[in-house]
Amino acid sequence: MSTIDNKTTTAADEVVYEGSSLELEGVTLAYGDVEVVRNVSLKVAPGTTTCVIGPSGSGKSTLLRGINRLHEPKSGDVRVAGRSVLKDKPDELRRRIGMVFQHFNLFPDHTALENVALAPWKVKGQSKAQARQVAEDRLREVGLGERMDHRPRDLSGGQQQRVAIARALAMHPEVMLFDEATSALDPELVKGVLRLMADLCQRGMTMVVVTHEMGFARKVADQVVFMDEGEVVEAGTPDDIFDNPQSDRLRTFLSEVL
Amino acid sequence: MEFLDNLGRTFFDVEAMAEVLPHLLQTGLVNTLVLSISATIIGVVVGMVLAVLGISPVRWVRAPARIYTDIFRGLPEILTILLIGQGFYWLSQDLFGPSPYPLGIIALSLISSAYIGEIFRSGIQSVEKGQMEACRALGMSYGRAMALVVVPQGVRRVLPALVNQFISIVKASSLVYFLGLMVGERELFRVGQDAAVLTGNLSPLVLAGIFYLIITVPLTHLVNFIDQRFRTGRRKPTGPTSGLKEVTELEDKKAVGTAS
């Protein structure tokens, strides 16, 4: 598909992102005494995309939430741009890390524009006009320049998810996390969102993508991580993972989903 | 026939009604509204505080809100009104003078805030968890996320319940007469009751009842209308759309980008 060979056609006026590196070292996440993610280590180079795949309940989403500390890691270390962030204030860390959810979680009583402008205005302290400008730019970037005044319920699922992506981008994050961003979408709407994600990847954003879209993982990812039962079972390039799986668990998983 | 005549004379004596009408309008209605509206305003403010405390993750913050709510929701209204109205008379006398009117408002506010707090709490808790999560993921603090996103959504959802509560307060305000109001402070029920006792005829009370209905019935209907409006808002009419166009939306944007 054209998602990849688009690199050369990137318009000159498009934003280029400077993603930071992300490292997890021995991260363990628990609900009470139950460890749902155990001892995960991961390196994501700046401007690259890592896809996390695995069966439901394998701890993929929890791992993602550990990165921006929506779920506080029990042990281990998280480093953004080479520096540990576990001692920072969580709110400050989260301003540097964008997150996109399966169910969009847009603010239903705000327009698309207000959804995107809210955080730059109220969290970053930009002026209302500045925040509005940022929001307009981001919405145009995700192809919704014509829909800025629509409320979420007047948008399709795919458009809503793109607003959610614009909302995260408006904070100028160094890393973007996608938690099954296309799982709640109708089949024909998935492509538009994946396309946008591939776009961000090419423009230098560092991304960690939890996904069930194997096609996307294969084409876009620089690194694919397979998790099962809270552990990283295998990690490698898409070719390694999809064409040359080492473990039985990964082979079984791939035979189920491909 | 005699039965109907009796009925008419007892409940719908026009002369008796006409006589009490100005008093009901100028004193009764005004006082009922003043009592109810002030108790509702104070109740909303205190109720919001109770609701926010009541959903705090910290137990010792939740506990006082819980106890307050349990007490004032659990006691009969008349009991609270008497205990507050008579029990704090000494204090009120220094502050507001001899009238029990302010204490009546405070007692009604205590009752209404307990109920309104629960209404707000249920509304706020009905907002999807994802809303708070999205806010936190954007770097908002808990308090800011509550104030900017979660609470406004929760309040909209409970607007009808809030109006029902106002209606309850309007009715409960009649109980303040137990505190012994001065002539100018009497609300609808007391004005009607006085006239009924004087004339030996129930018609003034019936008229007072009609006034209560005039306040409460339109409100219930109004709130359904408002609720509808808040829930759906002004919609942007969109023609039929096709999900198939969504990929092109991204490309169109690019085409525009390169052209300019």
Side-chain angles (χ1 to χ4, degrees):
Chain A
M1 249 196 323
S2 55
T3 37
I4 293 299
D5 37 50
N6 235 353
K7 245 173 200 154
T8 45
T9 63
T10 303
D13 62 343
E14 276 192 359
V15 193
V16 174
Y17 291 101
E18 285 178 37
S20 295
S21 69
L22 170 71
E23 280 164 63
L24 307 185
E25 196 181 296
V27 169
T28 294
L29 296 151
Y31 288 103
D33 288 335
V34 188
E35 295 184 348
V36 285
V37 170
R38 272 191 307 276
N39 197 24
V40 168
S41 297
L42 199 64
K43 275 194 175 152
V44 183
T48 67
T49 294
T50 293
C51 283
V52 184
I53 61 171
S56 322
S58 57
K60 309 182 294 289
S61 293
T62 311
L63 177 68
L64 216 53
R65 300 157 56 81
I67 296 173
N68 65 356
R69 293 169 67 195
L70 280 180
H71 191 138
E72 197 66 40
K74 186 178 169 190
S75 59
D77 198 8
V78 178
R79 286 190 285 271
V80 176
R83 204 177 57 80
S84 173
V85 293
L86 290 186
K87 295 240 161 51
D88 294 357
K89 279 192 184 154
D91 288 345
E92 271 158 31
L93 167 66
R94 291 181 197 132
R95 282 167 216 177
R96 302 167 58 196
I97 301 186
M99 189 169 199
V100 175
F101 302 88
Q102 180 175 359
H103 296 291
F104 330 135
N105 298 348
L106 291 180
F107 310 133
D109 42 359
H110 292 288
T111 63
L113 187 75
E114 291 162 352
N115 262 279
V116 181
L118 186 67
W121 180 34
K122 292 290 187 180
V123 178
K124 264 200 170 171
Q126 296 179 347
S127 74
K128 209 171 175 180
Q130 264 178 321
R132 229 187 127 82
Q133 189 57 49
V134 169
E136 284 177 10
D137 291 347
R138 292 292 86 81
L139 281 170
R140 275 197 209 100
E141 193 181 328
V142 301
L144 290 171
E146 309 291 311
R147 299 255 196 288
M148 296 194 195
D149 295 329
H150 286 57
R151 281 168 206 275
R153 60 156 188 276
D154 293 324
L155 298 169
S156 78
Q159 291 167 336
Q160 288 187 50
Q161 193 59 296
R162 285 188 276 140
V163 174
I165 293 172
R167 179 173 68 176
L169 289 176
M171 293 295 284
H172 292 289
E174 299 163 43
V175 177
M176 285 281 283
L177 310 175
F178 293 84
D179 189 3
E180 302 195 15
T182 59
S183 298
L185 297 178
D186 294 341
E188 85 274 14
L189 304 177
V190 168
K191 206 171 142 194
V193 172
L194 290 183
R195 178 74 175 270
L196 172 60
M197 289 163 64
D199 235 45
L200 292 178
C201 166
Q202 286 158 31
R203 277 156 38 205
M205 182 58 78
T206 304
M207 314 208 298
V208 181
V209 181
V210 168
T211 187
H212 292 293
E213 298 286 337
M214 296 304 146
F216 177 84
R218 181 162 215 156
K219 275 186 230 113
V220 177
D222 299 282
Q223 174 181 231
V224 177
V225 173
F226 171 65
M227 282 184 75
D228 190 25
E229 294 177 359
E231 291 167 336
V232 172
V233 181
E234 271 186 59
T237 66
D239 291 345
D240 291 341
I241 296 292
F242 291 108
D243 298 333
N244 193 14
Q246 300 295 311
S247 62
D248 286 339
R249 280 200 272 182
L250 177 53
R251 270 194 290 273
T252 317
F253 175 73
L254 289 176
S255 69
E256 300 283 337
V257 297
L258 289 181
Chain B
M1 234 35 239
E2 204 181 325
F3 175 73
L4 281 183
D5 277 351
N6 261 336
L7 219 58
R9 236 177 297 124
T10 321
F11 294 115
F12 301 103
D13 184 333
V14 178
E15 259 174 56
M17 284 186 175
E19 203 174 315
V20 75
L21 181 66
H23 203 186
L24 271 177
L25 267 176
Q26 286 161 12
T27 313
L29 184 63
V30 172
N31 279 318
T32 291
L33 287 177
V34 169
L35 286 167
S36 318
I37 291 173
S38 359
T40 305
I41 292 172
I42 300 173
V44 163
V45 174
V46 178
M48 181 53 76
V49 174
L50 288 172
V52 172
L53 296 182
I55 55 173
S56 161
V58 187
R59 192 170 8 146
W60 60 262
V61 176
R62 272 199 317 267
R66 197 67 260 160
I67 293 169
Y68 178 103
T69 307
D70 282 347
I71 290 175
F72 290 109
R73 247 182 6 154
L75 290 176
E77 289 154 346
I78 184 69
L79 199 137
T80 307
I81 289 170
L82 279 180
L83 285 184
I84 300 292
Q86 294 178 354
F88 290 94
Y89 188 69
W90 50 277
L91 190 67
S92 150
Q93 209 169 12
D94 294 342
L95 289 171
F96 312 112
S99 163
Y101 201 79
L103 281 177
I105 290 177
I106 290 172
L108 286 172
S109 304
L110 288 171
I111 299 164
S112 67
S113 60
Y115 283 96
I116 292 174
E118 286 296 277
I119 291 171
F120 279 149
R121 187 173 67 86
S122 72
I124 294 169
Q125 282 182 325
S126 78
V127 175
E128 296 73 24
K129 289 252 174 338
Q131 294 288 313
M132 172 57 82
E133 206 155 67
C135 292
R136 299 312 303 271
L138 286 165
M140 273 185 220
S141 66
Y142 174 87
R144 191 161 269 212
M146 272 289 169
L148 289 177
V149 174
V150 179
V151 168
Q153 284 183 55
V155 169
R156 280 181 184 205
R157 291 179 195 196
V158 296
L159 217 63
L162 225 49
V163 175
N164 282 336
Q165 190 52 43
F166 176 71
I167 289 171
S168 281
I169 299 168
V170 169
K171 292 185 287 179
S173 69
S174 63
L175 296 170
V176 171
Y177 93 93
F178 269 101
L179 299 179
L181 296 169
M182 287 182 274
V183 179
E185 297 170 343
R186 292 180 180 167
E187 35 64 61
L188 280 176
F189 169 74
R190 186 63 206 267
V191 172
Q193 162 80 351
D194 282 352
V197 169
L198 278 176
T199 58
N201 183 296
L202 287 177
S203 304
L205 261 185
V206 171
L207 189 60
I210 292 172
F211 271 102
Y212 279 110
L213 293 179
I214 289 174
I215 302 175
T216 55
V217 174
L219 268 180
T220 9
H221 293 280
L222 177 72
V223 80
N224 288 339
F225 171 77
I226 295 174
D227 183 45
Q228 200 80 18
R229 195 49 175 277
F230 264 117
R231 225 170 267 274
T232 49
R234 249 183 246 273
R235 295 199 72 146
K236 280 229 177 289
T238 43
T241 52
S242 165
L244 296 172
K245 285 201 190 125
E246 300 221 348
V247 175
T248 18
E249 266 179 3
L250 283 165
E251 283 174 354
D252 289 350
K253 166 239 7 174
K254 273 199 187 128
V256 173
T258 31
S260 58

